[in-house]
Amino acid sequence: MSLGDQIAKNLPYLRRYARALTGSQATGDAFVRATLEAALADEQLKSSLEGGRVPLYRAFNKVWASAYLDVSDDGESGSHEGAAQNRLKSITPLNRQALLLTTLEDFSVEQAGEIMELEAEEVERLVQEAVGEIDRESSTSVLIIEDEPLISMQLEDLVTSLGHEVCGTAATRTQAQEVVAEKTPGLVLADIQLADGSSGLDAVDDILAIDSVPVIFITAYPERLLTGDRPEPTYLVTKPFQEQTVRAAISQALFFGSSRPLG
């Protein structure tokens, strides 16, 4: 594959990242163009781009870091991506970059460190700072759909420790419907197999028919969601879970404002 073909393949993802990072498609595209122009003017930089996504993003980072500026959004505040942009404005630039690289762009911490020219430990620290900033800005109401009382209580404690309120708990699809009839949650944590044999998937579908809210599935049966028969969930935590994993999933789900991937 030629260098031009490699860059063309990765360009849509770089544009998405640039838009999320700067808060504006026009500004993001300007930085992308500046990166490509810099590569055309520098043979060494140009040849380095043959290494794939990491060197391309690293080249972009150098351009962005040398001329970073905050910009207002470009009329997309009502869109799914606009919801993420509004949250991004509350995160400091370096933290914002570390979070986006390791979530939106799905780079490993080591790859993000190579892009940002930082040690992996520093990237991890920046991501945690970003998560903390999001937690402070993203308080919401949470519905917990879980039929095991001890796990439900554990999740309640975790959710409240992050500054959110629990609008209700449900052990069956019917109970979930009753909670949502009173108040639409801002986030749903859902098991798949419920107490009366009903499905957490159906309970979630009921909720999403009313409003688009982020959903995190927490289940001992992840294979039931990874069949290819329906869209796979963005946020899936396997039991037994680590609280830090659930915390990170909550922060990311609230950051993007939806259970659908950004893009």
Side-chain angles (χ1 to χ4, degrees):
M1 184 183 295
S2 69
L3 177 58
D5 288 340
Q6 288 184 47
I7 293 175
K9 179 182 177 181
N10 291 318
L11 200 57
Y13 303 102
L14 183 63
R15 291 185 67 229
R16 175 186 64 181
Y17 169 67
R19 177 177 185 163
L21 190 63
T22 65
S24 162
Q25 186 69 74
T27 303
D29 283 348
F31 277 113
V32 171
R33 282 195 301 273
T35 301
L36 298 179
E37 290 169 357
L40 289 174
D42 186 331
E43 284 298 323
Q44 184 176 359
L45 177 59
K46 181 179 177 180
S47 62
S48 74
L49 299 185
E50 294 181 357
R53 286 183 78 209
V54 169
L56 178 62
Y57 279 66
R58 185 172 64 240
F60 172 88
N61 176 64
K62 290 181 178 180
V63 172
W64 176 77
S66 67
Y68 174 76
L69 53 91
D70 268 316
V71 295
S72 60
D73 65 61
D74 45 10
E76 297 161 351
S77 59
S79 68
H80 167 52
E81 191 164 349
Q85 301 304 341
N86 289 335
R87 290 173 175 82
L88 277 168
K89 293 175 184 176
S90 69
I91 307 174
T92 50
L94 207 58
N95 296 358
R96 179 188 313 184
Q97 186 179 14
L99 181 68
L100 288 171
L101 287 171
T102 54
T103 56
L104 177 64
E105 298 304 318
D106 201 28
F107 286 110
S108 68
V109 171
E110 290 74 20
Q111 289 173 322
E114 187 176 348
I115 291 167
M116 299 177 70
E117 299 183 335
L118 296 172
E119 295 295 327
E121 293 77 9
E122 178 66 8
V123 174
E124 289 180 337
R125 184 186 67 79
L126 292 171
V127 170
Q128 290 307 311
E129 286 184 0
V131 168
E133 291 174 15
I134 293 169
D135 288 343
R136 290 191 292 272
E137 296 290 334
S138 303
S139 179
T140 192
S141 60
V142 181
L143 168 60
I144 298 171
I145 305 175
E146 169 60 63
D147 65 335
E148 296 184 40
L150 289 178
I151 294 179
S152 182
M153 287 188 287
Q154 182 183 6
L155 291 173
E156 283 189 69
D157 290 342
L158 175 59
V159 164
T160 54
S161 74
L162 294 175
H164 309 299
E165 68 167 4
V166 177
C167 66
T169 60
T172 67
R173 179 184 182 183
T174 299
Q175 290 177 4
Q177 291 172 332
E178 291 170 353
V179 173
V180 175
E182 296 293 326
K183 181 178 181 180
T184 302
L187 173 69
V188 177
L189 307 182
D191 193 3
I192 295 176
Q193 185 170 301
L194 302 181
D196 60 351
S198 60
S199 168
L201 294 172
D202 292 334
V204 166
D205 285 342
D206 294 338
I207 297 167
L208 295 180
I210 299 171
D211 196 7
S212 177
V213 299
V215 177
I216 300 170
F217 287 102
I218 303 175
T219 178
Y221 307 99
E223 67 278 0
R224 297 185 183 181
L225 283 170
L226 304 177
T227 62
D229 296 332
R230 57 183 287 155
E232 295 180 356
T234 306
Y235 306 105
L236 175 61
V237 176
T238 302
K239 295 179 180 176
F241 58 80
Q242 298 291 325
E243 289 196 357
Q244 185 60 30
T245 302
V246 178
R247 176 190 171 102
I250 289 173
S251 295
Q252 292 175 34
L254 292 176
F255 170 73
F256 292 119
S258 170
S259 55
R260 294 179 291 112
L262 194 70

